[in-house]
Amino acid sequence: MATAAIIDRDAQCYCGEVTLRITGSIIFSGYCHCKPCTRFRGVSPVHLVGVKPAIGVTVTKGKEHVKVVHDPAGGKMEHGFCTNCGCGLFQSPTGAPFRAVFPTNFRFEDGPYLCTLPPELMPTSHGNYDNRTRDFKDGLPKRMNGHVVDDEGNPIIE
């Protein structure tokens, strides 16, 4: 089994009023097609990076601008956002041992990758693919209905 990548980065909302410190293990990096994610962000799919433990995602500036809401479809998901600019900050199922963050909130513009994500943050799969709005032929495994399939819908055995 591969060792989980470690993350130790700062992130911020669009307006900069909220700053996060992200530390811990990356447990996944992928595209999510579920309804709570896509409706909260207004786009499908949503690229998420799961960080464990959940307390590894901390607000270091602007706590007064952070609001956490539960999705209206039963409240199984928590979504945190900046009340000043509306930027999504983090999300997770209620009580989960991890938090998912949005790689778009990291600032790479001045680093070696420019705006391209570093390898450890690149997506490795699609989740909840049965909720997709279109097909993606990107070579990544697609998880749907309890199965994992390739770009052509053929089963993948993990």
Side-chain angles (χ1 to χ4, degrees):
M1 180 179 205
T3 304
I6 301 299
I7 189 167
D8 186 7
R9 293 188 176 274
D10 292 313
Q12 70 181 42
C13 66
Y14 184 65
C15 71
E17 289 295 317
V18 177
T19 302
L20 303 171
R21 185 76 187 150
I22 317 291
T23 58
S25 297
I26 297 173
I27 60 171
F28 65 83
S29 180
Y31 296 122
C32 185
H33 298 265
C34 80
K35 296 300 179 201
C37 285
T38 58
R39 288 182 177 150
F40 176 66
R41 294 293 285 189
V43 65
S44 179
V46 175
H47 183 189
L48 299 171
V49 174
V51 177
K52 190 174 185 178
I55 60 171
V57 179
T58 56
V59 178
T60 56
K61 177 185 140 196
K63 275 187 183 181
E64 68 277 10
H65 296 293
V66 177
K67 181 168 182 162
V68 176
V69 297
H70 293 271
D71 73 80
K76 296 176 185 169
M77 290 290 293
E78 297 177 349
H79 303 276
F81 66 95
C82 173
T83 58
N84 192 54
C85 66
C87 181
L89 301 167
F90 54 80
Q91 65 187 55
S92 65
T94 302
F98 69 89
R99 276 206 168 144
V101 295
F102 308 104
T104 51
N105 292 346
F106 298 124
R107 299 296 184 250
F108 299 113
E109 293 86 356
D110 298 324
Y113 301 105
L114 298 175
C115 290
T116 303
L117 294 174
E120 69 273 13
L121 297 179
M122 294 298 278
T124 59
S125 67
H126 289 263
N128 301 295
Y129 195 67
D130 42 315
N131 291 317
R132 68 192 178 281
T133 57
R134 66 179 184 87
D135 289 333
F136 290 83
K137 305 286 185 179
D138 56 12
L140 297 177
K142 281 85 174 148
R143 301 177 192 295
M144 60 183 214
N145 299 322
H147 303 288
V148 182
V149 299
D150 65 14
D151 284 344
E152 304 307 318
N154 299 311
I156 297 174
I157 298 174
E158 293 186 297

